[in-house]
Amino acid sequence: MKLRTLLSRMKWFFTVALATVMLTGCNGQFVVLDPKGPVGKQELDLIILSTVLTLIVIIPVLIMLWIFVAKYRDKPGNKAPYKPEWEDNKTLEIIWWGIPIVIIGILGVYTAKTTFALTKPPVQNVAPITIQVTSLDWKWLFQYPGQKIATVNYVEIPAGVPVNFVLTSDAPVNSFWVPQLGGQEYTMPGMALTLWLQADKPGSYLGMGANFTGEGFAHMRFHVIAKPQSDFNAWVNHVKQTAPALTKAGYQNLTQPSVTDQMSFSSYPDGLFEATVNKNGGIYMPMQQGNMKKEDTPADNNAMKNMKMGQ
Ligand SMILES: [Cu+2]
């Protein structure tokens, strides 16, 4: 195939690919680019910043590639100079080391600032709520310590209120991800990690397990339904009055490998979440202890000392 034909075919391929990406971004296919809360928005800002900074390198490199290929190509009558003898070029060295160093510096500062900011509630003037999340084989259990109810495979939250998700796993390590509300965080057996998320407006946001955990993994999808506070309170009351209680035996059933539909529970055994974390090793990060009652701290304190994380 002639080079010219190849190039013109490639041009069409890239145009179509680019158009596909650009156009589908509008109808919610790329949910990460369509955040619905303050955490997701700050993370999108980081994505945009890193894309722009990376393009500062990529665009000139692609243009130069194009120029050099055209200029120095071995073709009849090419008058471009041929200079095989050279040592180094200080100006060029400074440019191609200096620019990436500056870019990494800017990226590092902004990433660190955002990461630390996101370990706190997104807004400070609204009382947050806590939801304990347990990833199971192959379902999600949500417990509301403030409301004393529990749900499986769906979670309702008040809109405009910071939600402190406390995450663990009673199955393999998974990852809790609601792309429109913010980045993913791991669920690990024996540990409780926190993730602050917030939905600005009522709506239904897709959540998923972002870490492969076996056969039923693809069914670990759920929806986060954000409602006005009064609707949320009404929903809590409705669950309390109509749903069955989650018993210890019921929880044992949930831990068995299986896929299930959505479920609601009017109550759950006291300290179930803390018992799950402790059962699997009970290592709490020091910064997690604010979320746990005193009697829930791990029996095995040596494990925590050995961990030396966040001290
Ligand atoms: Cu861990």
Side-chain angles (χ1 to χ4, degrees):
M1 195 188 299
K2 284 241 176 69
L3 186 68
R4 186 153 304 200
T5 336
L6 181 73
L7 284 179
S8 92
R9 286 200 186 167
M10 275 173 67
K11 193 170 75 187
W12 276 108
F13 173 78
F14 283 115
T15 310
V16 171
L18 191 70
T20 312
V21 171
M22 301 300 251
L23 295 175
T24 46
C26 309
N27 60 22
Q29 282 283 307
F30 291 86
V31 282
V32 172
L33 305 181
D34 184 24
K36 298 293 187 196
V39 178
K41 280 185 185 130
Q42 288 182 64
E43 288 170 351
L44 177 62
D45 288 346
L46 271 187
I47 293 173
I48 292 170
L49 177 74
S50 52
T51 307
V52 169
L53 290 178
T54 316
L55 288 178
I56 290 176
V57 172
I58 290 175
I59 290 176
V61 166
L62 288 180
I63 291 172
M64 282 191 286
L65 176 72
W66 201 259
I67 293 171
F68 295 159
V69 165
K71 188 172 178 191
Y72 296 102
R73 196 164 69 220
D74 182 14
K75 60 187 179 208
N78 190 348
K79 298 277 190 314
Y82 175 63
K83 295 181 189 165
E85 305 295 333
W86 53 276
E87 289 278 313
D88 64 352
N89 185 321
K90 284 279 176 305
T91 316
L92 288 179
E93 293 275 349
I94 287 167
I95 291 172
W96 65 55
W97 285 106
I99 292 174
I101 288 170
V102 170
I103 286 176
I104 286 168
I106 297 172
L107 258 186
V109 167
Y110 278 95
T111 307
K113 271 174 94 170
T114 309
T115 306
F116 281 111
L118 294 181
T119 60
K120 298 185 201 77
V123 293
Q124 307 288 337
N125 55 347
V126 181
I129 75 161
T130 298
I131 299 177
Q132 297 164 328
V133 183
T134 310
S135 63
L136 299 164
D137 272 335
W138 292 288
K139 51 198 90 74
W140 292 94
L141 172 66
F142 300 95
Q143 298 173 74
Y144 294 69
Q147 289 73 21
K148 292 279 169 208
I149 59 165
T151 58
V152 168
N153 286 347
Y154 81 105
V155 57
E156 304 218 354
I157 60 170
V161 174
V163 185
N164 184 20
F165 286 101
V166 187
L167 314 167
T168 194
S169 177
D170 204 1
V173 172
N174 208 314
S175 180
F176 177 83
W177 192 25
V178 188
Q180 288 192 287
L181 300 186
Q184 57 87 29
E185 181 61 86
Y186 289 105
T187 63
M188 295 186 277
M191 295 180 75
L193 299 183
T194 55
L195 175 67
W196 286 98
L197 294 179
Q198 182 178 321
D200 282 337
K201 294 203 176 74
S204 175
Y205 310 109
L206 177 68
M208 63 194 86
N211 218 49
F212 181 67
T213 54
E215 194 188 334
F217 153 78
H219 298 273
M220 293 186 70
R221 299 204 155 204
F222 58 94
H223 277 90
V224 177
I225 299 136
K227 292 181 162 179
Q229 183 76 53
S230 56
D231 291 11
F232 173 78
N233 296 344
W235 169 77
V236 169
N237 282 330
H238 180 75
V239 169
K240 273 189 190 292
Q241 280 158 22
T242 58
L246 177 63
T247 59
K248 282 201 168 133
Y251 178 72
Q252 284 311 314
N253 265 337
L254 285 178
T255 61
Q256 302 305 307
S258 67
V259 250
T260 57
D261 282 336
Q262 299 183 348
M263 298 181 192
S264 310
F265 299 102
S266 57
S267 68
Y268 57 81
D270 260 353
L272 174 63
F273 182 82
E274 293 76 8
T276 303
V277 177
N278 281 330
K279 178 184 85 178
N280 293 314
I283 303 165
Y284 291 124
M285 306 282 198
M287 63 272 201
Q288 301 300 326
Q289 289 182 332
N291 300 310
M292 299 289 167
K293 291 173 278 172
K294 190 128 193 272
E295 61 267 31
D296 301 326
T297 46
D300 185 7
N301 278 316
N302 285 328
M304 197 164 87
K305 278 179 205 139
N306 292 337
M307 191 107 167
K308 292 219 168 69
M309 286 173 87
Q311 289 179 357

